[in-house]
Amino acid sequence: MASPAALVVPALKRHTSTVIVAHGLGDTGNGWIFLAESWRRKNKFEETAFVFPHAPHIPITLNMGMRMPGWYDILSFDDLNVREDNRGIERSQAYFHSLIKSEMDKGIPSERIVLGGFSQGGAMSLLAGITCPVKLGGIFGLSSYLLLQGKIRDMVPRDNPNKETPIFMGHGDADQVVRYEWGQKTAQKLKEWGWSVKFNTYRGLPHSADPQEIDDLERYLKERIPDLGEAAGKEAL
């Protein structure tokens, strides 16, 4: 099932980087556009375009088969890795990779593209990020967890282009939807497998994001995709 066209907030100056932000279950790209709006008001990331994709409407088993925006079906929240929607996850993985390719086709180097998201979108971003066939500028997951733990390492390209790509994760310790310990275990497992992961804990935060977490994400993005400036643009001409 095809996803609706993504929302795009274009760069204010010369477009040198892109951030792709994937929403959670039941939401749309509109739910996270506030990130770009906030940074625009603060004159941040003026060379960055922001892409907010929309998940397709699919039946969600956990919600009695009701159709809603979802990157994959969720069969149970008791243990997210016991039964997983492999087909849906792999479909969304291919879609996320196509978004990255679309930005590269516009002339954006893959190392200047960051992929991330919240909850289900964050879980997909972690998977699509570490299995991406090109090196990314960054990968982040907020209130998220690791998908397909039993096979994900077999999905990583042989040359593992994102082995050195820093991963940012943030999670509230009061999250009762995507449990805090799932986020912790995800970070631990990725570190065991050799990835560099920064895991931030937000005290008292439920399944949501808060200003401190957004500030931390902003710092991460500034490190990964700093504006290049007009001088760099002239050199490239």
Side-chain angles (χ1 to χ4, degrees):
M1 182 180 298
S3 297
L7 285 174
V8 178
V9 178
L12 292 177
K13 297 182 177 179
R14 184 174 63 94
H15 181 194
T16 69
S17 61
T18 297
V19 177
I20 301 168
V21 184
H23 63 78
L25 179 66
D27 200 358
T28 68
N30 303 68
W32 283 84
I33 201 169
F34 74 89
L35 286 177
E37 293 172 341
S38 173
W39 288 327
R40 286 288 180 265
R41 287 193 295 270
K42 296 192 291 183
N43 298 316
K44 303 287 187 180
F45 306 115
E46 294 182 316
E47 297 179 13
T48 303
F50 293 89
V51 178
F52 300 93
H54 303 290
H57 281 69
I58 61 172
I60 301 298
T61 300
L62 182 68
N63 291 336
M64 298 178 291
M66 291 179 58
R67 300 181 72 88
M68 62 182 61
W71 298 114
Y72 50 87
D73 188 14
I74 293 181
L75 305 175
S76 170
F77 256 142
D78 294 329
D79 188 337
L80 295 174
N81 295 122
V82 170
R83 295 185 300 153
E84 295 182 277
D85 176 17
N86 284 253
R87 185 176 178 181
I89 292 168
E90 291 172 3
R91 178 195 64 230
S92 291
Q93 175 201 26
Y95 174 60
F96 281 33
H97 288 173
S98 75
L99 292 174
I100 292 166
K101 184 179 184 302
S102 293
E103 294 305 304
M104 293 174 63
D105 289 345
K106 298 173 186 175
I108 305 304
S110 66
E111 295 92 340
R112 298 276 298 167
I113 299 172
V114 175
L115 175 65
F118 173 78
S119 192
Q120 205 188 49
M124 272 310 316
S125 295
L126 293 175
L127 180 138
I130 67 174
T131 63
C132 189
V134 296
K135 182 171 178 57
L136 299 175
I139 302 165
F140 69 87
L142 309 180
S143 303
S144 55
Y145 55 97
L146 189 63
L147 295 165
L148 304 182
Q149 292 189 30
K151 63 182 288 187
I152 189 170
R153 282 194 290 177
D154 294 331
M155 299 166 67
V156 176
R158 186 181 298 273
D159 61 344
N160 199 355
N162 287 290
K163 187 64 175 289
E164 305 299 327
T165 303
I167 299 172
F168 174 78
M169 295 185 66
H171 216 120
D173 64 3
D175 193 333
Q176 296 299 316
V177 179
V178 176
R179 298 172 190 167
Y180 175 64
E181 57 264 32
W182 294 347
Q184 285 182 308
K185 290 178 180 178
T186 292
Q188 180 181 353
K189 182 64 67 175
L190 290 173
K191 288 178 181 178
E192 289 175 1
W193 290 343
W195 276 277
S196 173
V197 183
K198 179 176 175 57
F199 182 86
N200 284 10
T201 297
Y202 300 94
R203 302 298 179 192
L205 179 67
H207 192 60
S208 183
D210 74 359
Q212 182 59 58
E213 185 176 28
I214 300 305
D215 287 346
D216 292 341
L217 176 61
E218 178 182 316
R219 280 189 285 272
Y220 170 76
L221 293 177
K222 286 176 68 175
E223 292 174 358
R224 303 311 308 158
I225 50 167
D227 283 353
L228 300 180
E230 294 300 326
K234 292 177 182 177
E235 291 175 3
L237 295 177

